[in-house]
Amino acid sequence: MSISQLARSIAESPTLALNEEARLLREKGEPVINMGIGEPKNKAPITAILSSAARLSGGDIKYTPPDGTPSLKKAIIRYTEENYDKLVAPENIIVSAGAKQSLYNILYSILNPQDEVIILAPHWVSYPEMVKMVYGIPVIVTPEDGTFHPRMEDIKGAVSSYTKAIIVNSPNNPSGELFSEEFIAEIVDFCEQRKIYLIMDDIYHKLVFDGRRAPPVYRYSDKDLESSMILVVNGVSKLYGMTGFRIGWVIAPRKLVQVMNNVQAQTTSCTSIVLQAAAEGALTGLQSVVENLRLGFENNRNVIIQELRSFTGIRVKQPGGTFYCLPDFRAYCPSSIAQDSEQLARFLLKKALVVTVPGKEFGMEGYLRLSYAGTIKEITTGIERIKWALDPNSPNEIYIGDRKLIRDWL
Ligand code: PMP
């Protein structure tokens, strides 16, 4: 079969692959705990359901403008004003099938072949692949001080005349790190000065803990939106736990939105009018939905950190947001159990029936990403099982489902 070189070079999405593996095991009746998955477990907000149901029952389900319905855009304008203190026009907005497509459209629209995009490790798995898919070159910058917080000096050292964009995701998937206000201010200033696009992946920006707030990026720029290099990506997936509705959007200068509009019109035409209605319902409905999710994740974060801190050899930084943490499992990697995080994740799935995501995928070998989007019971049982599988100080017997298992490999 003839497959293009480019398509062949694109990696499988490891998180989706692991989810599939877990689903198959569950189907076989195995009591798998999925700490790999990146989605909240709530039901969709009622306002989203009612709004899409009204559209469906009206029966008038047709194309929308490629960049989204005027009424959804109105809701996004209000959202942007409330959360970013920025007034944008409908022409500054383009709605896509999830933040994923928004990001892909941006990269497709701004990169020439061989242009470079700076990606800050630990980073979301899809960024480098998306950059490659439009013939760009991902340049991964890892903080040299071993923290999860990027440093301007490292970024400046990686910038070349080919650098077209820097992607910033705060709070961050996979580390949960919330980047400081000073950093956001500095990177905005740097990008505006150097005419490098600053792609703010703000998909988790309201899932922030400890009374903090994600610094709203426009505050640090004195440029008019039309001449600014800031592009903000957002969506309903994490904000309202509406991952299956596939609605995301970009706020950008009008000229760029026009180009992305052409790209989208020639590829997907538009996102579904039913799902746009759902997103509008969520955005205009009661926002306590978001606060309830956030509070739940903060509580879960406290539980998982407490559990991990009593785990011999594991080091973990307390996340400032999201529903992920990225503990350092290097103490358990160069051993008889696993040489790397991928092997370790496979080992944990096989022995303990817990899904985790290897840190290698995020540019952090020796780490595992654990999601705490599940229930408290799932979190405590999941960590107990991982401890049993790895930590010789933990009891060597455990019940997984109704099977009593004995650890005989340590
Ligand atoms: N950006 C980041 C950092 C993410 O973690 C995700 C989802 N895992 C996305 C974008 C994509 O979100 P969506 O469901 O809106 O496509």
Side-chain angles (χ1 to χ4, degrees), residues 15 38-39 97-103 123-127 130 169 171-174 201-204 233-238 242-244 246-249 323-324 369:
T15 31
E39 54 186 357
K100 228 174 198 174
Q101 196 196 10
S102 301
L103 286 159
H123 59 79
W124 184 43
V125 290
S126 297
Y127 298 142
M130 283 188 188
N169 171 223
N172 175 267
N173 174 8
D201 182 346
D202 270 3
I203 191 96
Y204 299 100
V233 176
N234 226 315
V236 296
S237 282
K238 317 288 168 164
M242 289 171 60
T243 48
R246 313 305 308 127
I247 297 289
W249 60 87
F323 37 76
Y324 308 108
R369 188 190 75 179

Side-chain angles (χ1 to χ4, degrees), residues 210-405:
D210 309 312
R212 292 168 76 193
R213 191 178 165 212
V217 64
Y218 294 113
R219 179 181 293 169
Y220 311 97
S221 170
D222 52 10
K223 292 259 191 294
D224 174 76
L225 187 55
E226 301 311 324
S227 57
S228 171
M229 301 306 288
I230 299 172
L231 312 175
V232 174
V233 176
N234 226 315
V236 296
S237 282
K238 317 288 168 164
L239 196 54
Y240 300 100
M242 289 171 60
T243 48
F245 286 79
R246 313 305 308 127
I247 297 289
W249 60 87
V250 184
I251 309 287
R254 287 166 203 240
K255 274 195 187 137
L256 181 57
V257 169
Q258 268 166 21
V259 174
M260 289 196 280
N261 206 3
N262 295 342
V263 172
Q264 198 153 282
Q266 301 293 6
T267 50
T268 50
S269 295
C270 61
T271 58
S272 161
I273 195 168
V274 179
L275 305 179
Q276 290 189 59
E280 186 185 331
L283 284 165
T284 53
L286 270 182
Q287 298 306 298
S288 53
V289 175
V290 184
E291 181 56 10
N292 288 342
L293 271 176
R294 192 197 68 74
L295 274 172
F297 292 141
E298 183 163 354
N299 189 36
N300 288 4
R301 187 269 323 248
N302 294 343
V303 171
I304 198 167
I305 293 299
Q306 194 182 337
E307 295 292 318
L308 286 167
R309 292 215 162 131
S310 67
F311 196 144
T312 318
I314 298 299
R315 288 191 313 168
V316 62
K317 172 117 199 283
Q318 172 146 296
T322 72
F323 37 76
Y324 308 108
C325 61
L326 191 65
D328 179 349
F329 276 82
R330 280 178 292 184
Y332 294 102
C333 273
S335 71
S336 56
I337 289 171
Q339 298 301 319
D340 58 33
S341 56
E342 202 173 319
Q343 267 190 24
L344 185 62
R346 298 222 161 274
F347 179 83
L348 292 175
L349 183 56
K350 189 166 151 234
K351 297 286 190 193
L353 291 178
V354 180
V355 184
T356 58
V357 187
K360 191 173 157 189
E361 312 294 349
F362 310 102
M364 297 300 281
E365 184 51 291
Y367 292 67
L368 291 178
R369 188 190 75 179
L370 303 179
S371 158
Y372 44 90
T375 61
I376 296 283
K377 178 102 181 95
E378 282 170 323
I379 294 167
T380 51
T381 313
I383 301 295
E384 189 197 359
R385 287 192 197 175
I386 299 176
K387 263 190 199 162
W388 165 75
L390 298 180
D391 181 357
N393 296 327
S394 66
N396 84 328
E397 288 181 354
I398 197 171
Y399 274 95
I400 294 188
D402 51 14
R403 270 174 298 165
K404 183 177 178 181
L405 300 180

